[in-house]
Structure formats: C-alpha cells, structure tokens
Amino acid sequence: MCPFNSAAFPDSLAIAREGELTIGTIDDIQKLHIRTIPLGEHARRICHQEQTRTFGICSLGNQTNAEESEMHFVRLLDDQSFEFMSTYPLDAFEYACSILSCSFTDDKNVYYCVGTAYVLPEENEPTKGRILVFIVEDAKLQLIAEKETKGAVYSLNAFNGKLLAAINQKIQLYKWMLRDDGTRELQSECGHHGHILALYVQTRGDFIVVGDLMKSISLLIYKHEEGAIEERARDYNANWMSAVEILDDDTYLGAENNFNLLTVKKNSEGATDEERGRLEVVGEYHLGEFVNRFCHGSLVMRLPDSEIGQIPTVIFGTVNGMIGVIASLPQEQYAFLEKLQSSLRKVIKGVGGLSHEQWK
C-alpha cells in the first residue's frame, strides 16, 4: 500500500492485493468532521430541537461592569448557520443547570424546558430554582410558563408526556395543565425523596435511573394507577456519580469521579425482596477520564443491514474534550476478544510493570 497522487486521482491510496490493484480515497462520510464554532462565551448545556431547526444553549458570559461579572443566558442558535437568533437573560445569581426539548400530552407544540438554580454566595446548596418553559415563535424564545422550585434543577427528562425533574435531593414529576384562561402551567404530580443530590437522571418506559452525588445508582418506577414514584433497587456501593445511561431494560451504565465506568444489572430473578432490591455490579472498567455525559448514538452513519448496524452503541464525552464509544457486543464476539486479551497479557508486559487486568 502506498500514497498515490495524480490529476485523475488526487490524494489517493494505491492498494495491491493478489490479482488486483485498487486506487481510491477514504469515503468522506466515514471521516469524522470536526468544526469549531466560536461562541465568545462559555456554553454549559446544549440541546437540539429538530422541529424548529434550532439549538438551545445555556451559556455564561462576562459583563462589562464589575459587580455583575457573570451573567447566564439561554440562547437560541440556528442549527445550520449557528447564528444567534434570540437570547433570554437569567436573573442575577441564576445559573442554568439543565435544558431539554420536549412535548407534552394533549399539546402538539414542542418546547424548550430549562432548569435553573439561584447560586448565592452564603448558601452551601441552592435552596431555590426555576423551571422555564419556552416556545420558539418567529425565531424568538417566548417564555410560556415558569415554576419555582425549592432547589437546583439538576436534570430534566421528558417522561410519559410529562416533565421529570431532579431537584436537590428529590425527583419530582410535573404535568402540563391547561388553565381556565387558556394558558398552560406545570403542576406537581408526585415525587420521590431519599437521595443526597440527584444529579443525573435517565428514563425508559416507566423506569427512572438516578445517578446520585454519593449514593451510586438507584432504580425507581412510576406507578400510573397510584400516581407515585417508588424505589425498586439500588447499588449499595458508595460511588460519586458523574453520568448515567440505560443500556437496556435491565442494565445501566454509570461513570464516577475516580475516572471509572461501571455497569449494574437489575436482579429480577432474585429469590428474596432484598436480592431483588439490589443492583448487581456486573462490569467495572478504569477509563482514566472524567465522563460527564452519555448519549445513545453513533459517530458514523449506520447502515441497518450491515453487521455493525446491529450493535448498540453509546457515545460519551469527557471534561478533557475526548469523545468515545461504548458498544454492547454479542456474547460470542465478546468471548473471543476476552480470550485474545488474556493471551496478549501473557505475552506483552504492562508499562511500568502495572498489571493490565488489575489496572483496567
């Protein structure tokens, strides 16, 4: 194989195989394109709304006058040109903690929901926050409803046509109600206490997975008939979580602040209530990076009929700016790679005499 460059085949590769010579380039679609869009300020949260073809961004910019040196904004960007279309300034000392694009039961509109916290110098933890509901009209952010909360709104999820919020120690479910005068409001339906700080939340069907500041991962279930949220199971290890994601109905993925990844499994077959109430740790991996976001998806186009198209993948982002992919491999492929890995370990000694097995 060698580089091949001519007028007819610029920047190509020539590959010689038995009985054939191939000249070609790498397909542009398969290359990962990275484009930097300068915002001129610090973006903390981002969310895409397909219907309006916009991005919602929570950002903080420095003001010119010294007293209010830090101001937080919710900004609307065009998803093609990345131009600022609209800005909603938050109050003094108000930080945006979460943003979500969602719709509600019996309402065809799509909204941006933003969760905030009032970060006051004299308070250890925020005791006040807001949930703001915006609609995009004429390329502008219009505030439709706001709801005061008794703490920081760390996470927002669309959940069964309602809005699920993680507010300090509790998980709170809001429904979207129509008032007599035709306006809409968020109304609290039920909640669940028992967390130190519920920082990360993911949902699937009626299940809610919570990543806690110190108490690892817990699994909650929403009961429609009773209108209540109950705890089903939890991981009793002390892990300081930095992100969570649901891999499938029974398996949940987490990242914690010692740069490790862990997977826990729901033990539905357990004989006793105690066994069923415990999330088993089924995978541990030392990544060496602080993961702050998981997201289902792929970095390249997936062709459904290809072999790779069948493998579910989760993308993660880290605070160092690294992007990685976690794939759920079929059992036989995993067994083969596991064997290959243990054979490699016998031949190749780890750097600095560290055991690969113990380290990873």
Side-chain angles (χ1 to χ4, degrees):
M1 177 168 91
C2 69
F4 189 93
N5 192 8
S6 69
F9 305 103
D11 300 324
S12 301
L13 286 174
I15 301 169
R17 283 206 295 230
E18 196 177 339
E20 67 174 82
L21 172 69
T22 308
I23 296 173
T25 61
I26 294 172
D27 179 1
D28 278 342
I29 293 173
Q30 296 298 328
K31 287 185 191 170
L32 183 61
H33 294 284
I34 297 176
R35 182 175 154 211
T36 305
I37 292 102
L39 289 173
E41 57 188 38
H42 183 61
R44 297 191 61 208
R45 299 285 182 269
I46 184 167
C47 173
H48 184 234
Q49 196 170 80
E50 226 171 299
Q51 295 82 349
T52 58
R53 307 192 63 170
T54 57
F55 284 112
I57 285 188
C58 301
S59 64
L60 65 110
N62 289 329
Q63 296 303 93
T64 41
N65 56 347
E67 284 166 32
E68 287 297 321
S69 60
E70 220 176 63
M71 267 297 282
H72 290 248
F73 305 96
V74 181
R75 297 197 188 272
L76 193 67
L77 275 75
D78 182 282
D79 74 355
Q80 296 301 307
S81 66
F82 295 97
E83 305 266 317
F84 283 137
M85 295 160 67
S86 172
T87 296
Y88 181 88
L90 297 177
D91 294 345
F93 300 112
E94 188 179 20
Y95 285 40
C97 305
S98 47
I99 186 168
L100 168 76
S101 167
C102 71
S103 54
F104 297 104
T105 309
D106 306 330
D107 186 347
K108 60 183 190 305
N109 294 320
V110 185
Y111 298 97
Y112 275 119
C113 300
V114 176
T116 74
Y118 286 92
V119 181
L120 304 172
E122 65 274 11
E123 287 182 353
N124 291 335
E125 269 314 314
T127 56
K128 196 174 132 198
R130 290 193 295 171
I131 298 173
L132 306 169
V133 183
F134 296 98
I135 193 167
V136 178
E137 274 178 356
D138 309 326
K140 292 270 185 295
L141 280 171
Q142 311 278 359
L143 185 64
I144 295 288
E146 66 171 283
K147 182 83 181 168
E148 281 213 1
T149 59
K150 291 194 169 88
V153 186
Y154 288 115
S155 178
L156 288 171
N157 286 76
F159 186 70
N160 291 314
K162 299 170 185 173
L163 184 66
L164 188 73
I167 304 162
N168 281 18
Q169 302 84 359
K170 68 185 289 196
I171 303 293
Q172 189 75 39
L173 184 63
Y174 294 95
K175 48 190 177 185
W176 190 232
M177 299 300 285
L178 190 60
R179 288 203 195 100
D180 297 340
D181 61 2
T183 58
R184 298 266 183 179
E185 67 167 337
L186 285 171
Q187 200 173 2
S188 175
E189 184 183 329
C190 60
H192 179 268
H193 291 266
H195 308 276
I196 291 174
L197 279 184
L199 297 179
Y200 314 98
V201 177
Q202 293 293 346
T203 61
R204 184 176 177 132
D206 292 335
F207 287 109
I208 302 165
V209 171
V210 181
D212 190 86
L213 172 72
M214 295 162 72
K215 284 165 72 174
S216 196
I217 298 172
S218 50
L219 173 69
L220 314 177
I221 186 166
Y222 171 60
K223 300 201 159 171
H224 289 261
E225 300 75 43
E226 296 141 51
I229 295 172
E230 287 177 10
E231 184 177 296
R232 263 290 160 87
R234 67 165 346 118
D235 172 22
Y236 285 92
N237 296 306
N239 288 313
W240 294 57
M241 302 309 293
S242 62
V244 293
E245 187 53 89
I246 297 175
L247 292 178
D248 59 39
D249 286 348
D250 297 336
T251 320
Y252 318 119
L253 172 69
E256 45 92 295
N257 72 337
N258 287 323
F259 315 141
N260 300 308
L261 303 177
L262 65 142
T263 40
V264 295
K265 199 173 180 72
K266 185 168 90 203
N267 186 3
S268 313
E269 310 300 309
T272 64
D273 283 349
E274 194 217 347
E275 282 175 22
R276 285 192 295 271
R278 193 178 284 276
L279 291 174
E280 277 179 86
V281 177
V282 290
E284 292 176 317
Y285 187 85
H286 179 64
L287 183 70
E289 291 264 351
F290 187 100
V291 174
N292 58 358
R293 190 75 174 87
F294 289 119
C295 174
H296 282 280
S298 166
L299 290 173
V300 291
M301 290 180 72
R302 309 278 295 260
L303 301 169
D305 49 356
S306 74
E307 222 174 278
I308 295 176
Q310 308 302 320
I311 296 176
T313 54
V314 169
I315 301 170
F316 63 83
T318 75
V319 296
N320 293 336
M322 172 175 134
I323 295 174
V325 179
I326 295 170
S328 303
L329 300 177
Q331 186 62 44
E332 61 188 71
Q333 203 173 357
Y334 170 75
F336 167 75
L337 290 169
E338 172 98 309
K339 259 188 198 155
L340 177 64
Q341 179 174 280
S342 60
S343 305
L344 281 169
R345 274 204 293 260
K346 290 176 189 150
V347 181
I348 300 166
K349 292 287 164 268
V351 178
L354 292 170
S355 147
H356 173 270
E357 203 167 3
Q358 287 177 340
W359 175 242
K360 279 298 181 201

